[in-house]
Amino acid sequence: MKLWLFGLYGIVATTAVAGDRAVKKGITDTTGLVSSLPVFKDLERYSPLNFDQFGGHEIRALDRNLYSELFSHWEENQHFDYRILKELEEDLKDIKAKKGTALNCGSGVLEELKPVSTLEDEGLSLEQIVERIEKDILEFKDDETVAVNVASTEPVIPYDQEVHGSLEGFERAIKENRKDRISASMIYAYVSLKNGIPYGNFTPSAGSGIPALKELAEKNGVPHAGNDGKTGETLVKTTLAPMFAYRNLKVLGWMGYNILGDLDGKVLSHKQNKESKVVSKDKVVSKILGYEPYTITEINYFPSLQDNKTAFDFIHYQGFLGTKMKFYFTWDAVDAIVAAPLVLDIARFLNFAKKKGVKGVVKELAFFFKSPMDTDEYNTHKQFETLVNWYRSLK
Amino acid sequence: MKLWLFGLYGIVATTAVAGDRAVKKGITDTTGLVSSLPVFKDLERYSPLNFDQFGGHEIRALDRNLYSELFSHWEENQHFDYRILKELEEDLKDIKAKKGTALNCGSGVLEELKPVSTLEDEGLSLEQIVERIEKDILEFKDDETVAVNVASTEPVIPYDQEVHGSLEGFERAIKENRKDRISASMIYAYVSLKNGIPYGNFTPSAGSGIPALKELAEKNGVPHAGNDGKTGETLVKTTLAPMFAYRNLKVLGWMGYNILGDLDGKVLSHKQNKESKVVSKDKVVSKILGYEPYTITEINYFPSLQDNKTAFDFIHYQGFLGTKMKFYFTWDAVDAIVAAPLVLDIARFLNFAKKKGVKGVVKELAFFFKSPMDTDEYNTHKQFETLVNWYRSLK
Amino acid sequence: MKLWLFGLYGIVATTAVAGDRAVKKGITDTTGLVSSLPVFKDLERYSPLNFDQFGGHEIRALDRNLYSELFSHWEENQHFDYRILKELEEDLKDIKAKKGTALNCGSGVLEELKPVSTLEDEGLSLEQIVERIEKDILEFKDDETVAVNVASTEPVIPYDQEVHGSLEGFERAIKENRKDRISASMIYAYVSLKNGIPYGNFTPSAGSGIPALKELAEKNGVPHAGNDGKTGETLVKTTLAPMFAYRNLKVLGWMGYNILGDLDGKVLSHKQNKESKVVSKDKVVSKILGYEPYTITEINYFPSLQDNKTAFDFIHYQGFLGTKMKFYFTWDAVDAIVAAPLVLDIARFLNFAKKKGVKGVVKELAFFFKSPMDTDEYNTHKQFETLVNWYRSLK
Amino acid sequence: MKLWLFGLYGIVATTAVAGDRAVKKGITDTTGLVSSLPVFKDLERYSPLNFDQFGGHEIRALDRNLYSELFSHWEENQHFDYRILKELEEDLKDIKAKKGTALNCGSGVLEELKPVSTLEDEGLSLEQIVERIEKDILEFKDDETVAVNVASTEPVIPYDQEVHGSLEGFERAIKENRKDRISASMIYAYVSLKNGIPYGNFTPSAGSGIPALKELAEKNGVPHAGNDGKTGETLVKTTLAPMFAYRNLKVLGWMGYNILGDLDGKVLSHKQNKESKVVSKDKVVSKILGYEPYTITEINYFPSLQDNKTAFDFIHYQGFLGTKMKFYFTWDAVDAIVAAPLVLDIARFLNFAKKKGVKGVVKELAFFFKSPMDTDEYNTHKQFETLVNWYRSLK
Ligand SMILES: NC(=O)c1ccc[n+]([C@@H]2O[C@H](COP(=O)([O-])OP(=O)(O)OC[C@H]3O[C@@H](n4cnc5c(N)ncnc54)[C@H](O)[C@@H]3O)[C@@H](O)[C@H]2O)c1
Ligand SMILES: NC(=O)c1ccc[n+]([C@@H]2O[C@H](COP(=O)([O-])OP(=O)(O)OC[C@H]3O[C@@H](n4cnc5c(N)ncnc54)[C@H](O)[C@@H]3O)[C@@H](O)[C@H]2O)c1
Ligand SMILES: NC(=O)c1ccc[n+]([C@@H]2O[C@H](COP(=O)([O-])OP(=O)(O)OC[C@H]3O[C@@H](n4cnc5c(N)ncnc54)[C@H](O)[C@@H]3O)[C@@H](O)[C@H]2O)c1
Ligand SMILES: NC(=O)c1ccc[n+]([C@@H]2O[C@H](COP(=O)([O-])OP(=O)(O)OC[C@H]3O[C@@H](n4cnc5c(N)ncnc54)[C@H](O)[C@@H]3O)[C@@H](O)[C@H]2O)c1
Ligand code: NA
Ligand code: NA
């Protein structure tokens, strides 16, 4: 099984690859990997944990390699034991990214990540960009290849029925070089699905979520899933909010205030790029409760934290006899560490799905996402049950 | 439907009664009542929310009434809107407790609650105590009466196979006046079950949990449930711990530090009386995770908080690549407010169970308890599903 | 001694008056009053705690009285024991506000507080407004009258050298009816200082802080002080930040996130009205540390909290060998309760200052303010020492 | 200037030495060092930061060296950047501890640190132990040598007027081999002071605090200071408690709950060894407030945290009109990192004191200690002012 990552040199991608290799070498265990829970034991037969090969697209540091980029992230974050890092150099230094596209990726990406180098910089048309992306992937892929988007979050692209509403319209727009309507994540998803490669969207970017690409997935019989990895504060929210519901406690307000540094934090400090993220995080509480309490959902840049995302949540709720009470939580985790294993999990389950003939949106993977496609199930407990049942019913 | 409460003048009992009456008068809503969730709508037909009558046993303030005692608690805690309180005087001032027993209730009860007045003070034998308790209850009860124990927490009584192991042994011990082996909560549970009254144990005291009384319940075809209302920190623990399990995150340590004032806090500040409580709270995490992380579970007296229980939890866990991360929560609630509605819920579901012919331990009520009898299901989410399914299957 | 309050029906004002009367009646003690600390014992001789009379300006609820307004605030907040409230009706129901001005008070005030009724609504010119304000105050004042501004926060008025730079320019602008340049708080401060009444500014509004009014205070020999009562998160910040400085620990970032409901919260939810507040809160850390760490200072509206201001602070700092560490605090207080006694304190110290011949800005009162005028001393500890020393040297 | 450390292989000691060397090499800066603040600039002339030599006593790992022990601590804690660590091997690998004594160090030390190797194990009498300790130190010392105790915390030794009350009694007890009355820290302090070496006690152990040794210090004209480095929760307490005092807010209760792992945590998990620590931490609040609020002060072992001390504090206080409010803080720091620079600071100031002819207890160093000797000043702010003034008056 092979894994192609859009955003290959990001901290999530490099950590996912490093983790896979460290498990393979036996220098770390499978802690953090959902797909390695006893309940999914047989998955190993369909989608063995250790991937055969890694590749991906990038728009940054293209003259470097995965190890050097992992090392840079590590120097800022020291996000795992240096003794593990040291042992991985040989395994990772030959993994190199291909040049990608940053179409409609917003100022967050273009300014904060510079110097950036993209296919469009070479003067290519949309059609040519698609061809180049396709070429890279075709060279890499085998029958068990999955692609996951872990590139920086794009701004929200206004929905355009003509372009996004049908596969035919989408392909026409590519031909007509409608660069204003199509973003990098759509191109990546398009190429993947077109070539029968299951696609996971770990970001809140559009990706495969537009009708045109859902149509393509159905047509080609490819499974896909997204959006936006549910790793931190939202994971806790969707685990805890049900408690208030079960107990008939009325949530009056829920404040969630997130801070982080790092590239991701920098990109999200751009209003435009932040938008899709905040929407994604905000709606979960009301979806679970069935009514709309007052909510605050903010993400802010806090440079010294680097990838150490910290979230402050405050829940004000009303109990019996109208009495108001309080609940506070603080999430203090390393974003890449909670995210990376899920990237591997998603890839493994998508490959399993493909083998089992599942096509289109795999809504049973909702457990992994903040904004799961095609389902209204946000309760983490239920999502986990759904995942287990789905897996059991297929294997 | 009628409700008999052991510990009638406690803050939980008085608040439960006040709440029931306030809902009846339409001056508060059903927030906090699980049994009033839409999913249990038809319960109203079997066990209508507003009880016909309240009564109970006490060992304190026997010359007073439920309103005066509610008022005392309110003066310390102002635990709900004074405008509600004012309106309840007429409804509550004629509810008066009967004199109970404090056998083996420990120094926490005898010293902190004094002056205490009990049946044993009158020089009665065990058998005579049982008779008196029975007489009070028989005078009160009708076909739809439920009893719930909300008296102060007793010390752990060492298990004695001869006395606790069989109904026959238990009844012999009563006859033989074995006062060292039988505690107040056992007597209350015995009388209830003997007389066909469903019994709920909202405390960690022994209650109906000994084999002798389980036998009695089976024999008499009476449903019962317990132990120890799951209202605060433990509710959160059992909601949150599954998240770590689902995500294959390894909990290294879980600290739970609880402080509260009030009578309950005072009683629990006695080592002996605290014991059963701490055990009850401590084991839930390992039951859910399937392994035993390092845990700290403490309850301490903090007088100025009164009934405003505050808990500080810290979870240290390990993620992918061995990285340690942190999660903190603070629970700041009013104990009586989160507890009182559950007392009504438990009573309603037990009455429903009786009508449906359920007998013995109703393990499907685990959702309401820290140490549910006869089940290993501690995950709040699953307990809720179990409750709903059980209810649906019977109604 | 008499006290005139701008914003008389606000929660701070009504609580200050209620507290003063409750102390007088002996139904509460002097907890919270700095001026009642043993070290200021003799102040009682100059500025006795219990004021002879209260009055003030308002733009809201002018047909009501101080008790009814206190009661409204109390119903939302239950911010002190209802038994105290009940006893104050007689003392407070005859205190009635005069109609004030809301010139340049922004949408926060005009929209959130409506229906609003102001002198400018009557079609009065600036000069006529000043006259009316002056008339009200002159009718009330005696030789020992102090005025304190506790009205809603105004937007920042752009500095205009011509109007704000000199007394002569300011008075000319009044004559010329330059309504765009002069705000309500300036008018109130002007009238106070012009008539020899010491003036305290408990808000971040301009008040007496413009050069024109400082000149007036000097000229008339009147003491004044401000700005913005230091009651909550900023109090803690300025108490704690010195610790990092003394220990040579390097603050990398300081996040302060405040939420509150209530009128004040509503007004501050207007961008414009919030501006001066945030500036006022933000700069204190760098003033104390001597360098500028990354800071986040936000205030947001959270309706269900009412006046129960809650603040979440996170301090990221660097210690020996470059290691990063963390400190978190949560402030959970009732804004009016921490603010009200300071209003009385400020009035007492200003009256004392006047008696001792102090004129102009009393920078030794910096202890009470977030943005103390004419001083760079933000360290709470030093400010307290300064206050004590100043008091001792004068008395 | 040379530094002798009792407990040389502990994490505080090794980190102090590592830090000193890293500053010398220019690979870290002086962050965390109080003595390097601009206000103490000239101290460099008297007690230059970079020490000429380090030595000390140990009872553990005597066949190893300071680098290997630092490395062990680092492997558990990764408490500073590994790039700094790597560079220090050469500088630290030749620093080796001498065998010390563990007389009356309690089960915490003897069990948790085993295998332990001490002079008493060799069968030496008290007098012989003193001689051996003295020999080691005399071989090392020069005119500018200071000794600091950073060994594990000893149990409280019951005060015995005969032995501890006078120098003569103490020396007699040594001769008489009264091993039950004299603890390791007293022996170390005795030898230091006897030989004119300034002595700092960074632990709550008895050290130089008994009358006998105070007499010795006076007699020999040696400065000494202690007890118990004020590094974490207590530092915050003593910075924050004054705020409540200044504002006349009444502290109702103060909970401080500390958890840590590591050797220090293990030793403190022994009741006996914990005792002095808890006393030391507990009294500071009442000393500052002038009354005794309800307090909880606990330290508990939490293995996975290692040296990452985490403290949870909750302050319940009463404000104006009797209203109760809350304040919470969480301290999340690395104990060795906050402690190590203070060890260097204390040594530098003691050396300065000696040069300036100061003898006996230097109470002006109270700033560095939880239980400063011979002073009642616990307010961190005042202690800092005292330190600065003392330094200025002498230099
Ligand atoms: N870490 C988490 O917990 C988490 C959770 C949910 C979602 N996500 C999302 O995952 C994504 C990656 O996060 P990260 O922390 O690794 O961020 P990162 O900034 O470290 O990595 C993103 C990488 O993508 C590259 N990139 C940007 N635009 C690209 C493009 N158009 N094509 C190819 N490469 C591109 C960047 O150069 C960078 O190397 C973000 O969108 C983030 O919002 C992360
Ligand atoms: N409040 C919660 O959230 C919660 C949660 C779980 C369990 N509980 C348990 O519920 C019980 C009641 O709590 P509370 O806060 O109301 O305490 P409380 O002290 O206010 O009430 C207990 C009452 O029981 C009475 N009592 C004591 N021993 C008795 C006896 N042997 N017979 C009859 N009456 C007796 C006392 O006089 C008192 O009035 C406690 O055991 C507590 O541990 C409470
Ligand atoms: N509560 C605190 O801890 C605290 C601390 C620092 C500063 N402050 C400031 O104190 C002020 C009062 O706070 P509050 O909580 O009492 O708010 P509030 O909204 O309850 O009271 C303000 C009152 O001022 C009145 N008002 C508004 N504009 C006026 C005007 N131009 N003339 C006369 N009256 C006017 C309003 O009608 C209202 O009654 C605010 O500016 C607030 O920012 C409060
Ligand atoms: N780290 C802090 O923030 C802090 C603050 C205040 C006080 N302290 C105190 O400083 C001391 C050291 O703390 P640490 O974290 O370095 O602990 P540690 O356990 O890492 O180090 C203590 C060292 O002392 C050695 N030791 C024990 N008894 C000895 C004896 N009698 N003679 C010689 N050596 C002996 C041990 O072998 C160990 O190497 C402890 O007493 C601790 O309570 C630490
Ligand atoms: Na709170
Ligand atoms: Na933390």
Side-chain angles (χ1 to χ4, degrees), chain C residues 5-14 56-61 69 73 98-103 105 109 113 116 118 120 149-154 183-185 188 201-205 227-232 260 262-265 267-268 277 307 309 334-340 342-343 368 370:
Chain C
L5 296 167
F6 305 109
L8 185 66
Y9 290 166
I11 189 167
V12 171
T14 53
H57 283 105
E58 251 304 340
I59 56 167
R60 215 182 30 85
E69 290 312 289
H73 291 301
K98 297 293 183 182
K99 187 191 287 186
T101 167
L103 261 196
C105 286
V109 164
L113 305 183
V116 155
T118 64
E120 51 276 22
N149 180 18
V150 284
S152 312
T153 299
E154 299 172 2
S183 72
S185 70
Y188 294 139
N201 187 2
F202 203 75
T203 81
S205 308
N227 292 346
D228 205 6
K230 181 161 84 171
T231 53
L260 86 164
D262 225 352
L263 286 188
D264 192 23
V267 171
L268 291 175
K277 196 67 157 198
D307 201 48
K309 159 87 79 53
V334 183
D335 242 15
I337 292 297
V338 285
L342 302 191
V343 171
F368 295 106
K370 286 197 195 70

Side-chain angles (χ1 to χ4, degrees), chain D residues 189-256:
Chain D
Y190 171 69
V191 173
S192 305
L193 297 172
K194 182 164 167 245
N195 292 288
I197 299 173
Y199 169 89
N201 187 2
F202 204 75
T203 80
S205 308
S208 66
I210 54 173
L213 298 182
K214 288 185 174 178
E215 186 187 330
L216 173 59
E218 289 287 344
K219 189 182 126 198
N220 282 10
V222 198
H224 63 126
N227 292 348
D228 204 6
K230 181 161 85 173
T231 53
E233 189 224 12
T234 312
L235 176 65
V236 184
K237 270 183 170 168
T238 53
T239 301
L240 209 58
M243 180 185 86
F244 294 97
Y246 304 155
R247 284 288 166 101
N248 204 3
L249 298 165
K250 190 170 161 201
V251 175
L252 301 168
W254 191 308
M255 170 199 111

Side-chain angles (χ1 to χ4, degrees), chain B residues 286-311:
Chain B
S286 59
K287 289 277 182 187
I288 288 172
L289 297 177
Y291 55 90
E292 302 206 352
Y294 181 84
T295 56
I296 290 176
T297 308
E298 291 196 41
I299 313 183
N300 259 299
Y301 184 53
F302 198 96
S304 59
L305 279 177
Q306 301 288 356
D307 201 49
N308 177 190
K309 160 88 80 53
T310 305

Side-chain angles (χ1 to χ4, degrees), chain D residues 45-313:
Chain D
R45 279 199 284 133
Y46 302 98
S47 307
L49 174 59
N50 296 123
F51 291 74
D52 296 318
Q53 214 181 320
F54 295 97
H57 282 105
E58 251 304 339
I59 57 167
R60 217 182 28 87
L62 291 164
D63 53 336
R64 312 203 55 193
N65 63 63
L66 197 138
Y67 184 75
S68 71
E69 290 311 290
L70 172 64
F71 195 85
S72 298
H73 292 301
W74 192 89
E75 285 199 293
E76 295 301 328
N77 287 289
Q78 312 208 2
H79 53 311
F80 53 89
D81 195 310
Y82 86 110
R83 285 161 291 190
I84 295 178
L85 181 73
K86 278 190 328 195
E87 308 234 355
L88 298 175
E89 179 155 10
E90 282 312 301
D91 304 84
L92 307 181
K93 75 179 183 351
D94 296 331
I95 304 177
K96 291 191 172 164
K98 297 292 183 182
K99 188 192 284 185
T101 167
L103 262 195
N104 292 308
C105 285
S107 62
V109 164
L110 296 176
E111 283 169 29
E112 299 298 347
L113 305 184
K114 67 183 162 213
V116 154
S117 165
T118 64
L119 295 174
E120 51 276 20
D121 290 352
E122 298 184 10
L124 303 191
S125 70
L126 248 183
E127 197 165 17
Q128 290 169 319
I129 291 172
V130 168
E131 272 165 27
R132 279 279 290 277
I133 300 291
E134 193 160 20
K135 185 168 157 292
D136 297 333
I137 292 184
L138 289 178
E139 272 170 34
F140 176 84
K141 89 177 266 274
D142 64 4
D143 257 19
E144 306 207 4
T145 294
V146 175
V148 178
N149 180 18
V150 283
S152 312
T153 299
E154 299 172 2
V156 176
I157 312 279
Y159 184 72
D160 178 336
Q161 174 62 23
E162 217 188 300
V163 176
H164 305 130
S166 71
L167 179 56
E168 191 260 328
F170 187 82
E171 297 192 321
R172 189 174 348 101
I174 290 179
K175 286 224 173 61
E176 293 172 358
N177 203 23
R178 297 279 311 268
K179 284 194 175 166
D180 57 327
R181 283 287 177 266
I182 292 186
S183 71
S185 71
M186 296 176 192
I187 298 174
Y188 293 140
Y190 171 69
V191 173
S192 305
L193 297 172
K194 182 164 167 245
N195 292 288
I197 299 173
Y199 169 89
N201 187 2
F202 204 75
T203 80
S205 308
S208 66
I210 54 173
L213 298 182
K214 288 185 174 178
E215 186 187 330
L216 173 59
E218 289 287 344
K219 189 182 126 198
N220 282 10
V222 198
H224 63 126
N227 292 348
D228 204 6
K230 181 161 85 173
T231 53
E233 189 224 12
T234 312
L235 176 65
V236 184
K237 270 183 170 168
T238 53
T239 301
L240 209 58
M243 180 185 86
F244 294 97
Y246 304 155
R247 284 288 166 101
N248 204 3
L249 298 165
K250 190 170 161 201
V251 175
L252 301 168
W254 191 308
M255 170 199 111
Y257 193 76
N258 294 261
I259 49 177
L260 85 164
D262 224 353
L263 287 188
D264 191 23
K266 262 192 196 151
V267 171
L268 292 175
S269 73
H270 288 243
K271 217 182 149 84
Q272 239 192 344
N273 295 67
K274 176 153 64 180
E275 196 181 340
S276 50
K277 195 66 157 197
V278 170
V279 170
S280 176
K281 291 173 72 74
D282 195 37
K283 70 183 169 211
V284 299
V285 168
S286 59
K287 288 278 182 185
I288 289 173
L289 297 176
Y291 56 89
E292 302 205 353
Y294 182 83
T295 56
I296 290 177
T297 307
E298 291 196 41
I299 313 182
N300 260 299
Y301 185 51
F302 198 96
S304 60
L305 279 177
Q306 301 289 355
D307 201 48
N308 177 191
K309 160 87 81 51
T310 305
F312 301 86
D313 276 60

Side-chain angles (χ1 to χ4, degrees), chain C residues 225-237:
Chain C
N227 292 346
D228 205 6
K230 181 161 84 171
T231 53
E233 189 223 12
T234 312
L235 176 65
V236 184
K237 270 183 170 167

